[in-house]
Amino acid sequence: MPLPLEKVYTTEDIYALPEGIRAELIDGHIYYMAPPSRKHQEILGLFYRKIADYIDSQGGSCKTYLAPFAVFLSEDQKNYVEPDISVICDSSKLNDKGCIGAPDWIIEIVSPGSRRMDYFTKLFKYRTAGIREYWIVDPDKNRITVYNFETEDTNEYTFSDAVPSGLYPDLLIHFF
């Protein structure tokens, strides 16, 4: 007896969700997202300010976006994510809907419901999509894991360390 076919979702299904419902789409599977905690938002704001201020102070052309910001990782309409922070340096990837293709740098802040997704599923998807740098910020573990896919380096830091960016060699982010 054949197995029943599994439904494959597309970005059209994401846009058809009721107002206020957030979800991501990975390989045609929908993953619903819980609202972020206050601590999550504080960390998000801190990183966003430091990165955006740095880029502005250097007269850089890269753009920094906060979630919810649509990133379409592929043209097959089966991969749509909303990273906590996206840095895009190629303005041709930007349109009114978001980013078409891989951002240069993505930061995800781990929430209790996103741990497996951030550490495994998104790590693989982001690497294969061509993201240059991926940070996983884990408040429960007081840890920041930095994946530099260009140099194949992975480094771990604590919240008391100054964390360097591979994208901007002279940018050090101090958490506290």
Side-chain angles (χ1 to χ4, degrees), residues 6 61 122 157:
E6 186 176 295
S61 60
K122 286 185 177 178
Y157 302 91

Side-chain angles (χ1 to χ4, degrees), residues 54 105 132-133 148 163-173:
Y54 173 83
W105 181 8
R132 296 166 57 192
E133 188 166 349
N148 185 324
V163 183
S165 164
L167 205 58
Y168 299 102
D170 57 339
L171 171 61
L172 289 174
I173 297 182

Side-chain angles (χ1 to χ4, degrees), residues 50-125:
K50 291 185 181 205
I51 294 166
D53 288 350
Y54 173 83
I55 292 170
D56 289 346
S57 75
Q58 301 298 307
S61 60
C62 298
K63 300 292 183 192
T64 307
Y65 297 94
L66 293 163
F69 178 75
V71 173
F72 303 88
L73 291 174
S74 58
E75 293 183 21
D76 64 7
Q77 302 299 310
K78 295 179 187 171
N79 289 285
Y80 165 98
V81 291
E82 293 181 358
D84 288 311
I85 296 176
S86 301
V87 178
I88 296 106
C89 299
D90 180 353
S91 63
S92 71
K93 292 182 178 181
L94 297 170
N95 67 22
D96 285 341
K97 286 191 173 191
C99 178
I100 310 301
D104 294 274
W105 181 8
I106 284 180
I107 298 176
E108 294 284 8
I109 301 163
V110 177
S111 299
S114 74
R115 182 167 302 284
R116 181 171 170 71
M117 180 74 73
D118 293 337
Y119 277 103
F120 299 104
T121 307
K122 286 185 177 178
L123 173 63
F124 174 77
K125 289 307 289 185

Side-chain angles (χ1 to χ4, degrees), residues 127 145-149 151-156:
R127 181 184 188 120
T145 306
V146 175
Y147 297 92
N148 185 324
F149 297 133
T151 62
E152 298 294 320
D153 288 334
T154 302
N155 294 291
E156 290 200 2

